Amino acid sequence: MPRHKKKREATPTLNYTTRGFRLKDGRLHLAGGIALTVVWSRKLPAAPSSVRVYQDAGGHWYASFVVATEVQPLPASGRVLGVDWGIKETATTTSDAHDLPHPQHGRKAQATLTRYDRMVARRKPKKGQASSKGHREAKKERAKTHAKIARQRQDTSRKWAKRVVRDHDAVAVEDFRPKFLAKTTMARKAADAAIGATKQALIEMGRKHGRDIRLVHPAHTTRDCASCGARTKHALPLSERTYTCTTCGAVSSRDKNSARVMLVRAGLNPAGAEGASPSGALLPEAA
């Protein structure tokens, strides 16, 4: 069962609706006569309906506003894309130019995290004793490092999602839920890839710009052939990175084949039996 934080250990969070706050001269005024100077990350597109003021584990305070937004359509590109998630590469697509390599932000900061973990363990107080200043400072520095890694992953995901959405009208995405990877030997690498956050960033970016994002069920995507649709009798081991169809003889990269299967299952592959595209149909980008 999950263990919930005690009230005295949880970071403070304050929620205000329209009557509890107002914005005036660039300052945030809260109920109770509290006035805050806000460092704005960007201008609000409309009047906010609510605000959440909270403190993170690093001791920084943030104000998160709820604002109604409008769709910002992008010009049509006439192209579609298939996306397959993985560990070696976070995202393998039907276009080589839009593949997302594993950024390894967590691995690059592992030495720093290990150092702070040892500091926290060394300075941990005995049961019943108050935490020392050194222990609190070590926990804060560790939290800052984790927050930096999270921001790096978020930045990488959003930039990639914006590039994909800008260049394609429709995207077929594997509806992959990497929870089962937490029980495997690839758990750390899978967590560092941040597949779930990247998929969510792509969905949100597509919704923002009015693109067609289609989620495809991941069952048997590595066993199906994107050329003829035949399915292998046995699942491919992870060590085998090349897909060879025993029916039509097609040979391609395992991940690239899965990305093309996404297009077929989502109904975005316009090629007919002879490989010709109907007039006016969306064209998959050549790999």
Side-chain angles (χ1 to χ4, degrees), residues 5-215:
K5 282 188 176 181
K6 295 181 181 179
K7 186 176 181 179
R8 63 174 180 270
E9 297 175 354
T11 53
T13 301
L14 304 172
N15 297 300
Y16 297 92
T17 54
T18 307
R19 293 185 177 184
F21 77 98
R22 65 188 176 95
L23 296 171
K24 184 178 180 182
D25 299 330
R27 304 193 74 192
L28 175 62
H29 297 263
L30 302 176
I34 303 173
L36 305 173
T37 301
V38 181
V39 180
W40 297 96
S41 60
R42 59 183 179 274
K43 293 183 179 180
L44 296 177
S49 59
S50 64
V51 63
R52 181 170 70 97
V53 181
Y54 64 95
Q55 185 184 32
D56 66 358
H60 300 115
W61 286 88
Y62 295 90
S64 177
F65 296 90
V66 177
V67 181
T69 59
E70 296 181 356
V71 176
Q72 303 172 10
L74 292 171
S77 64
R79 292 182 294 184
V80 296
L81 188 74
V83 180
D84 176 70
W85 307 112
I87 302 300
K88 187 177 181 180
E89 287 188 339
T90 301
T92 302
T93 69
T94 51
S95 167
D96 292 339
H98 293 84
D99 289 347
L100 178 62
H102 197 304
Q104 298 185 351
H105 294 306
R107 183 177 181 181
K108 294 173 183 176
Q110 189 57 48
T112 305
L113 286 173
T114 302
R115 175 170 168 262
Y116 287 133
D117 286 340
R118 289 174 178 172
M119 290 173 62
V120 171
R122 251 192 339 260
R123 301 174 184 182
K124 184 178 180 180
K126 295 181 180 179
K127 188 175 181 179
Q129 293 183 351
S131 179
S132 65
K133 181 179 179 181
H135 183 248
R136 292 194 300 270
E137 289 296 327
K139 288 179 64 177
K140 184 180 293 186
E141 292 299 324
R142 183 177 62 178
K144 287 182 180 178
T145 305
H146 278 294
K148 179 181 178 180
I149 297 171
R151 289 195 301 269
Q152 289 175 327
R153 290 170 178 164
Q154 186 182 62
D155 181 68
T156 302
S157 301
R158 287 181 174 178
K159 287 180 178 177
W160 174 79
K162 183 61 179 289
R163 186 159 55 92
V164 168
V165 168
R166 184 183 62 240
D167 297 342
H168 302 90
D169 293 340
V171 183
V173 185
E174 180 186 8
D175 191 12
F176 182 57
R177 295 175 176 84
K179 184 181 293 186
F180 78 94
L181 288 175
K183 300 179 181 180
T184 67
T185 56
M186 300 181 296
R188 176 170 296 193
K189 191 171 183 180
D192 196 12
I195 296 175
T198 307
K199 184 182 76 171
Q200 187 62 30
L202 181 59
I203 294 173
E204 292 176 356
M205 197 66 67
R207 186 185 300 118
K208 176 181 178 181
H209 295 290
R211 296 304 203 194
D212 185 10
I213 308 295
R214 304 187 185 183
L215 298 178

Side-chain angles (χ1 to χ4, degrees), residues 205-260:
M205 197 66 67
R207 186 185 300 118
K208 176 181 178 181
H209 295 290
R211 296 304 203 194
D212 185 10
I213 308 295
R214 304 187 185 183
L215 298 178
V216 180
H217 197 279
H220 310 302
T221 53
T222 58
R223 297 172 57 185
D224 290 356
C225 177
S227 300
C228 66
R231 179 174 298 175
T232 59
K233 293 183 179 180
H234 305 286
L236 275 68
L238 290 174
S239 59
E240 190 173 340
R241 307 310 304 171
T242 302
Y243 180 88
T244 304
C245 181
T246 56
T247 303
C248 66
V251 179
S252 64
S253 169
R254 170 190 178 132
D255 295 334
K256 287 292 182 181
N257 177 74
S258 297
R260 287 191 286 269

